[in-house]
Amino acid sequence: MKKLFQSILSLVVLFAPLTACTSEEPSAAVPSDDEAETEPAENEPAAPAQSEPDTQENSTVYFTSDISAEGLVRLFNRLEWQPQGKTAVKVSTGEPPASNYLRAELIGDLVQTVGGTIVECNTAYGGSRSESAMHKQVAKDHGFTSIADFDLMDEEGEVEWPFEGGKRLNRIIVGSHAENYTDWLILSHFKGHAMAGFGGAIKNVGIGISSASGKVYVHSAGTRTSGSIWYSDQDAWLEALAEMVYGFREHVGKEHIVYVNVMNRLSVDCDCDGNPAEPDIHDIGILASTDPVALDQACVDLIEQAKGNESFLRRIEAQHGMHTLEYAEEIHLGTRSYDLVNIDE
């Protein structure tokens, strides 16, 4: 597998690091004493076990180095996925003024190919996207309303979708409009993240589709639905993140979801940061899969092979980011084993 990565990256990654990040590396996501919450009870329920592993075989992850509107559609078509009803395209609208959200001119053709509605939920941390009116203005300013209908899913409230057997969660809390959609294209910008270490498909679902209170519920590992998003047990909230995606998939049905990650503007900072650090890594490509765990793992593996990756890898390590994928595989959300298919060859 490493030989495959090296052969791909020799074609798609320029081995000269960009301007180094000037921001300091944050410590692990542990709040001060006055923010810390009571830990979950020792007698926790078992991890989700409704589903058996989908397969013992590797998942397939498709790759192209062509980061363009045409390349995005071409890669998506390799999934051979046809929506069966009303389709939501989940993106991050991006925090102003200068975040690295996926630009409308890049994603517009794909959104229109699936006849999709761009969907989002309000944030739980303030900023320009915590209130519906401001958030809709950001979506307009960033060009999303010019390429498709835009739906702020929690503008009219939220709904709870229960699921059984969670170690951290017993339900997920999503925007009420989520019930209006049959099919989901999870279109994510892969990047670093100050709390999760990295953000890809799992983060885009686990936090992005959660309503504002649902975001707090995940960030606090199921201990509260209001207040601070900071929590004292880093691994616990990462497990809750994976469980949210598991609960979402169980409710929607895995055949109704596909995932695409775009590896450009590879900053250590998330698109929720309006002034992110400049990337140290050159753009790599676009990846797609029906397995969110394999997809995010493949992206991390490509980061590990890239020149200038030191700050990105430090962030993943500092936040225990790989624990999300380890736990996601444990609960059968997907597999970390995959075959990478380069469609450029």
Side-chain angles (χ1 to χ4, degrees):
M1 182 65 70
K2 290 187 180 294
K3 289 183 179 178
L4 181 56
F5 290 146
Q6 291 168 351
S7 64
I8 292 171
L9 288 173
S10 66
L11 296 174
V12 302
V13 181
L14 298 176
F15 292 96
L18 301 175
T19 304
C21 297
T22 56
S23 59
E24 294 183 359
E25 178 64 29
S27 58
V30 179
S32 58
D33 291 342
D34 59 343
E35 290 177 317
E37 295 292 320
T38 303
E39 299 297 325
E42 291 184 1
N43 295 324
E44 297 166 327
Q50 297 99 307
S51 298
E52 293 300 320
D54 295 332
T55 177
Q56 296 298 317
E57 299 178 354
N58 293 353
S59 291
T60 300
V61 178
Y62 295 100
F63 171 87
T64 180
S65 62
D66 181 9
I67 305 178
S68 68
E70 295 79 9
L72 184 57
V73 172
R74 187 166 64 97
L75 184 77
F76 168 79
N77 286 338
R78 291 298 298 268
L79 294 173
E80 299 182 345
W81 180 77
Q82 291 293 331
Q84 300 175 27
K86 190 173 182 180
T87 303
V89 181
K90 174 62 184 71
V91 303
S92 169
T93 47
E95 190 67 25
S99 59
N100 293 313
Y101 61 91
L102 297 177
R103 270 34 183 185
E105 56 267 25
L106 174 63
I107 70 170
D109 287 353
L110 177 56
V111 175
Q112 292 164 16
T113 294
V114 300
T117 297
I118 295 174
V119 301
E120 256 279 36
C121 283
N122 287 322
T123 66
Y125 56 81
S128 300
R129 300 178 300 144
S130 60
E131 300 292 338
S132 296
M134 291 191 301
H135 197 163
K136 288 190 288 185
Q137 184 62 52
V138 170
K140 181 179 180 180
D141 293 344
H142 288 175
F144 294 113
T145 59
S146 68
I147 61 172
D149 291 337
F150 177 74
D151 185 1
L152 198 54
M153 292 189 293
D154 59 343
E155 183 177 12
E156 297 180 309
E158 61 189 29
V159 291
E160 296 186 357
W161 293 346
F163 73 99
E164 298 179 353
K167 180 180 178 183
R168 304 296 177 186
L169 308 179
N170 58 23
R171 66 193 189 279
I172 65 173
I173 308 172
V174 300
S176 62
H177 293 182
E179 298 195 319
N180 298 335
Y181 299 95
T182 303
D183 299 281
W184 296 78
L185 167 57
I186 308 303
L187 182 53
S188 311
H189 174 223
F190 190 85
K191 66 282 175 183
H193 194 277
M195 297 180 73
F198 68 88
I202 291 175
K203 175 71 166 48
N204 196 13
V205 175
I207 295 299
I209 293 177
S210 295
S211 65
S213 62
K215 288 175 170 63
V216 176
Y217 183 61
V218 173
H219 273 295
S220 67
T223 63
R224 59 176 181 266
T225 56
S226 62
S228 173
I229 61 174
W230 294 93
Y231 188 60
S232 58
D233 188 333
Q234 177 70 1
D235 284 356
W237 102 257
L238 295 176
E239 291 168 1
L241 179 63
E243 286 188 10
M244 188 284 176
V245 185
Y246 181 94
F248 179 79
R249 188 193 68 176
E250 290 295 292
H251 186 92
V252 172
K254 66 181 180 180
E255 69 276 12
H256 293 286
I257 318 171
V258 291
Y259 310 85
V260 177
N261 285 359
V262 180
M263 298 187 74
N264 69 345
R265 296 292 299 167
L266 292 162
S267 172
V268 298
D269 293 320
C270 181
D271 299 341
C272 54
D273 188 332
N275 293 284
E278 277 295 306
D280 291 332
I281 305 172
H282 283 282
D283 295 350
I284 293 177
I286 310 173
L287 296 87
S289 184
T290 58
D291 182 341
V293 182
L295 180 61
D296 281 356
Q297 181 67 59
C299 289
V300 172
D301 289 341
L302 288 170
I303 293 292
E304 289 181 345
Q305 296 292 318
K307 292 289 186 178
N309 62 12
E310 293 81 6
S311 61
F312 203 121
L313 294 180
R314 280 198 304 269
R315 177 147 290 183
I316 293 175
E317 182 178 2
Q319 306 304 334
H320 306 171
M322 296 308 297
H323 186 64
T324 304
L325 298 179
E326 293 164 354
Y327 185 72
E329 184 174 56
E330 179 183 329
I331 64 174
H332 309 318
L333 177 60
T335 177
R336 296 170 66 194
S337 300
Y338 60 90
D339 296 317
L340 193 65
V341 178
N342 184 354
I343 71 168
D344 299 337
E345 295 179 344

